[in-house]
Amino acid sequence: MFSLNRSAFLSNGSLLMATDESTATLKEMRDGYAEVVDPKSGVSGGVQDVYGEDTATEDQPVTPWSVSVASGYSLLRDPHHNKGLAFSEKERNSHYLRGLLPPTVISQELQVKKMLHNIRQYQVPLQKYMAMMDLQERNQKLFYKLLIDNVEELLPIVYTPTVGEACQKYGSIYSRPQGVFISLKDKGKVLEVLRNWPEKNIQVIVVTDGERILGLGDLGCHGMGIPVGKLSLYTALGGIRPSACLPVTIDVGTNNEKLLDDEFYIGLRQKRAIGQEYAELLHEFMTAVKQNYGERILIQFEDFANHNAFDLLEKYGTTHLVFNDDIQGTASVVLAGLISAMKFLGGSLADQRFLFLGAGEAGTGIAELIALEISKQTNMPLEETRKKIWLVDSKGLIVSSRLESLQHFKKPWAHEHEPVKELVDAVNAIKPTILIGTSGQGRTFTKEVVEAMASLNEKPIIFSLSNPTSQSECTAEEAYTWSQGRAIFASGSPFDPFEYGDNVFVPGQANNAYIFPGLGLGLIMSGAIRVHDDMLLAAAEALAGQVTQENFDKGLLYPPFKNIRKISAHIAAEVAAKAYELGLATRLPPPKDLVKYAESCMYSPAYRTYR
C-alpha cells in the first residue's frame, strides 16, 4: 500500500485523483480501479465512503471532491468532444468507448437529419428551444452543424421570438449553467468570479442586466437567455469559436413583482439597485474583464434599459471595445434595409422624410445612424440631416417646446413644430415617406396610420421592428392589405409570406443577426481596440450590397438568411478594412484578401478525427 498525495496514472493513461488520506494498491490502480480506504471509517470492503458523507452527520459540512477518471464515459459526457454514434471503430477502441455505444457508426449528416426530425415533432416552440439547448449541452458540434445547415428554420427557435418566452420561463427550464452570473453579492470579487469560468481565451462577452428584455420588460436574472442566444449566433453565423464566447448576466435585482413572488425565480429577490451601487458593480465588471482578458475583448451590451444603455456606451466607448446591439446593431441593419430600398426604388436617403414611433435606444440609435449616412452622402452638417427625422414618444411628437423635459438622448430630435399627440395626426402633419416602429407596443400601426402612409406615398416604406412578434407595431398581412399591396415592409420578428392579389410578398426581417456576428468577426480578426460609427456604416453598406434585384422583386430588403455565413464574411471584411483605415486595428500587417481571411477564421462544426 502507498499514499496518494497528488495523483496517479492508470495503465490506460487516465488520471486518477485522490486525497492525501487515501491509499490504493498498485495492482488496483493498474487494473483500472482503486478501493479508497478512509482510515477514520469503520467501513471496509465494497464501495467506500470516499466523499465522507456516510461518516458525517447531516449538519456537518463535507468536501465536494471526487475521484475523476478520464475514461471513455467522460468523453461521451463532454459536449466539446462528444460525437455520439459518429465515433469510428478505431476511435471507440482507442478511447475506451467499446460497449458504451451501440455498435452502429453513423455520419454527422445522418445525426443532423435525425435531430431535425425529432425537433419538428414538437408543436410548441419552447419545447423546440429546450431540445436545442439540451443538444448544445450534449454535443456542441452537432448543435452548430444543425443550426448552420437549417438556419432559416431554427433561428426563430434559438433566438427571437422564442427566446423571449424562454426568458419569461427561465427559472422553470433552467437546468445547468450556460454563462456567468454576477450579482451584488459578488461586489469586490468580480475578477475572481470571472476566473471561475473554465475557458480562458475569451474574445466576446455578451452582457445584460435583464432590465429591458426584448419588448417584455424587466426579467431580472432570467435575462440570461439573451446572452446565451446571441453568442450561439456569434458562432453559427459569424464563426466565432464557442469556447471564445462568454454569456454574462449582471443581477442587481428586479422590479418585476411577479418574478419576486415566483418560487422558481433564480435571481436576487430584491428591488433593482440604482445610482452609485449599480454604477460601482458595473465599473468593477468592466475593469475586471479588461484585466482578465485584455484590451481586445469585445463587450456587447444587451437589453439594458434606456438610461443605462446610453450612459454605459458613452462612459466606456472611449476606454473599451464595446458595442450596444440595441442601439448600434439595430441601427446598422435598419440602415442596410433603407439603402437597399433606395437602390431599387430610386432616389436617395436625403430625399426622404422619416417618422419614428418610439424614441428609446433603438429609435434614437437608428435615427442617428441614418443622419450620419445622409451627412456622409451629401456633406451636409449632421445638425441639418437630423431635421429630416422626426420621432414620436409616449407623449406625442418630439418638438422644441418639450425640450426642457426631454431625456438627453431625445433632445437632438426636438424640431420646431406645433405639438401633435396622436401618431396618425403626426403622419398627416409630417408627411413621411418612411415609417419606422421601435415602440415595443403591439398593433400601434393601425389601419388609419397605414392608410395615411399609403395615401401620401406610392410605395410607403414601413418598418415594424419591435420584438417579439406580439409586440410588432403591425403584421405583414396588415401592412400589405391596408396599403393595397404597395407597402415596402420589414419587421423585427419573422412573418410568413403573404398572398395579396396576384402577388406573393415575402416580408423582410430586419434582424440584428445580419449585422452583429459579422461585425464581431471583423473586430476580432483585425484586433480592433474601439468601435467607430464608420464601422457601423460600413457594415450596413456591406449588407445592402448583398441584396439582388431578384431578392427585391420578391419584396425582400435583405438577402436570404441561408447565405448568412457568406454575408457575415463580407461584413467582417468591410469592418476590418475600416478598422485598418482608422488606425484602430492591432493585428498587423493586414491580410491581402480580407473576405478570404474572414472565411478562414470561421469555426467549423464538422467532427474532427481523434488519434
Side-chain angles (χ1 to χ4, degrees):
M1 304 285 286
F2 65 94
S3 176
L4 291 174
N5 57 10
R6 286 294 182 268
S7 60
F9 287 91
L10 301 181
S11 58
N12 63 10
S14 300
L15 184 64
L16 171 72
M17 303 301 298
T19 62
D20 288 342
E21 294 85 10
S22 303
T23 57
T25 67
L26 183 61
K27 178 181 185 302
E28 288 166 342
M29 293 178 61
R30 186 176 65 246
D31 291 345
Y33 73 95
E35 179 184 33
V36 183
V37 179
D38 184 350
K40 299 175 185 177
S41 172
V43 181
S44 64
V47 179
Q48 302 304 313
D49 179 20
V50 294
Y51 305 108
E53 292 177 1
D54 294 345
T55 54
T57 60
E58 288 189 2
D59 59 345
Q60 286 180 317
V62 295
T63 302
W65 70 277
S66 65
V67 176
S68 176
V69 179
S71 67
Y73 190 67
S74 64
L75 179 59
L76 294 177
R77 296 178 68 88
D78 182 345
H80 304 288
H81 301 110
N82 180 28
K83 299 198 288 186
L85 292 178
F87 281 107
S88 68
E89 294 287 349
K90 183 179 178 181
E91 288 170 332
R92 295 180 189 207
N93 288 328
S94 301
H95 296 279
Y96 304 93
L97 300 174
R98 184 67 63 187
L100 302 182
L101 292 167
T104 189
V105 177
I106 66 174
S107 66
Q108 190 179 28
E109 288 68 27
L110 188 58
Q111 288 180 313
V112 167
K113 182 179 180 180
K114 173 186 171 183
M115 284 306 306
L116 189 62
H117 171 77
N118 290 344
I119 286 169
R120 284 172 175 168
Q121 301 309 302
Y122 293 112
Q123 300 301 311
V124 179
L126 184 61
Q127 292 176 327
K128 296 183 179 185
Y129 172 89
M130 293 171 66
M132 288 294 290
M133 293 303 101
D134 181 64
L135 176 61
Q136 188 177 23
E137 291 298 321
R138 288 188 289 109
N139 186 332
Q140 196 175 76
K141 280 187 163 64
L142 183 57
F143 168 83
Y144 285 111
K145 177 71 172 170
L146 177 65
L147 180 55
I148 291 167
D149 289 355
N150 302 277
V151 65
E152 291 177 296
E153 179 177 349
L154 295 178
L155 184 67
I157 300 301
V158 300
Y159 203 62
T160 183
T162 309
V163 73
E165 185 183 358
C167 287
Q168 288 176 309
K169 299 174 180 177
Y170 201 77
S172 299
I173 65 175
Y174 174 82
S175 58
R176 55 181 72 88
Q178 295 176 294
V180 170
F181 294 89
I182 296 171
S183 77
L184 291 168
K185 293 180 178 181
D186 302 312
K187 198 171 180 183
K189 298 180 288 187
V190 173
L191 180 60
E192 181 183 331
V193 171
L194 288 175
R195 286 175 174 166
N196 286 341
W197 187 249
E199 302 291 350
K200 305 306 175 188
N201 298 317
I202 301 300
Q203 295 177 316
V204 186
I205 288 174
V206 176
V207 58
T208 187
D209 70 352
E211 189 169 4
R212 192 202 59 80
I213 298 298
L214 301 175
L216 303 171
D218 185 351
L219 297 184
C221 198
H222 287 183
M224 178 56 98
I226 297 295
V228 169
K230 285 274 179 175
L231 286 167
S232 294
L233 301 188
Y234 262 111
T235 298
L237 313 184
I240 311 297
R241 288 179 297 106
S243 59
C245 300
L246 176 58
V248 176
T249 291
I250 307 286
D251 186 0
V252 296
T254 179
N255 294 333
N256 187 327
E257 293 291 345
K258 186 177 178 181
L259 286 179
L260 290 174
D261 294 336
D262 183 355
E263 63 177 331
F264 297 131
Y265 181 56
I266 62 174
L268 291 179
R269 293 182 184 274
Q270 65 174 64
K271 293 291 186 180
R272 277 191 172 273
I274 58 174
Q276 185 176 353
E277 186 179 17
Y278 178 91
E280 286 176 353
L281 183 63
L282 264 293
H283 187 69
E284 184 184 351
F285 167 72
M286 296 298 291
T287 303
V289 164
K290 205 169 183 179
Q291 183 178 344
N292 205 37
Y293 302 118
E295 181 83 13
R296 296 182 298 196
I297 177 76
L298 172 60
I299 305 167
Q300 178 174 315
F301 296 123
E302 192 68 32
D303 287 354
F304 285 78
N306 289 340
H307 54 286
N308 289 323
F310 287 103
D311 290 348
L312 290 169
L313 199 56
E314 183 177 356
K315 182 175 181 178
Y316 295 107
T318 56
T319 60
H320 292 66
L321 182 66
V322 294
F323 166 70
N324 185 304
D325 192 43
D326 304 301
I327 299 173
Q328 297 165 295
T330 302
S332 189
V333 75
V334 172
L335 177 59
L338 295 174
I339 292 172
S340 297
M342 294 302 103
K343 184 165 65 173
F344 295 112
L345 288 177
S348 68
L349 289 175
D351 300 328
Q352 311 305 311
R353 289 171 71 82
F354 303 84
L355 180 63
F356 284 75
L357 177 63
E361 50 195 287
T364 55
I366 298 166
E368 184 69 7
L369 203 63
I370 291 171
L372 283 168
E373 179 70 10
I374 295 173
S375 177
K376 176 185 171 185
Q377 290 179 359
T378 63
N379 292 320
M380 289 172 60
L382 189 60
E383 293 72 19
E384 288 300 310
T385 60
R386 283 176 178 153
K387 292 178 182 177
K388 298 178 178 292
I389 303 169
W390 298 78
L391 278 68
V392 172
D393 64 7
S394 59
K395 296 180 175 61
L397 191 66
I398 294 178
V399 293
S400 52
S401 60
R402 294 176 52 195
L403 195 61
E404 293 303 315
S405 63
L406 291 173
Q407 293 164 287
H408 67 92
F409 53 86
K410 295 182 182 180
K411 289 185 177 182
W413 313 104
H415 309 316
E416 287 291 336
H417 198 283
E418 66 273 9
V420 179
K421 179 64 178 173
E422 300 299 328
L423 176 61
V424 65
D425 296 329
V427 170
N428 289 319
I430 302 301
K431 295 178 170 52
T433 55
I434 298 172
L435 178 65
I436 298 174
T438 62
S439 64
Q441 303 297 315
R443 305 302 181 265
T444 41
F445 287 176
T446 62
K447 184 179 182 183
E448 292 73 22
V449 168
V450 175
E451 286 179 343
M453 283 293 296
S455 69
L456 293 167
N457 304 282
E458 177 60 30
K459 289 282 189 181
I461 298 174
I462 300 173
F463 281 19
S464 174
L465 301 177
S466 293
N467 288 315
T469 311
S470 60
Q471 307 304 117
S472 186
E473 284 78 11
C474 71
T475 66
E477 179 179 349
E478 289 166 345
Y480 293 128
T481 301
W482 294 337
S483 66
Q484 293 85 47
R486 292 188 282 120
I488 305 297
F489 178 79
S491 59
S493 287
F495 286 102
D496 293 331
F498 177 68
E499 186 174 347
Y500 184 86
D502 296 329
N503 297 314
V504 176
F505 295 99
V506 183
Q509 188 184 356
N511 194 322
N512 293 19
Y514 275 114
I515 291 290
F516 70 81
L519 176 69
L521 179 60
L523 294 169
I524 290 169
M525 74 185 211
S526 64
I529 56 171
R530 300 290 179 269
V531 176
H532 192 281
D533 284 339
D534 284 355
M535 297 175 183
L536 303 174
L537 295 177
E541 290 165 2
L543 176 56
Q546 298 295 306
V547 183
T548 65
Q549 181 67 50
E550 182 184 356
N551 299 150
F552 190 76
D553 289 343
K554 294 178 181 177
L556 290 171
L557 296 177
Y558 299 96
F561 234 104
K562 64 184 178 182
N563 301 325
I564 187 60
R565 280 205 153 196
K566 176 185 173 185
I567 295 164
S568 292
H570 281 273
I571 291 172
E574 293 301 321
V575 169
K578 189 60 68 174
Y580 285 111
E581 179 187 325
L582 296 170
L584 295 173
T586 61
R587 298 192 192 279
L588 300 170
K592 291 182 180 178
D593 189 326
L594 285 169
V595 174
K596 284 186 178 178
Y597 182 67
E599 291 172 342
S600 73
C601 289
M602 287 184 167
Y603 165 82
S604 169
Y607 288 147
R608 302 290 296 273
T609 300
Y610 298 148
R611 293 187 183 92

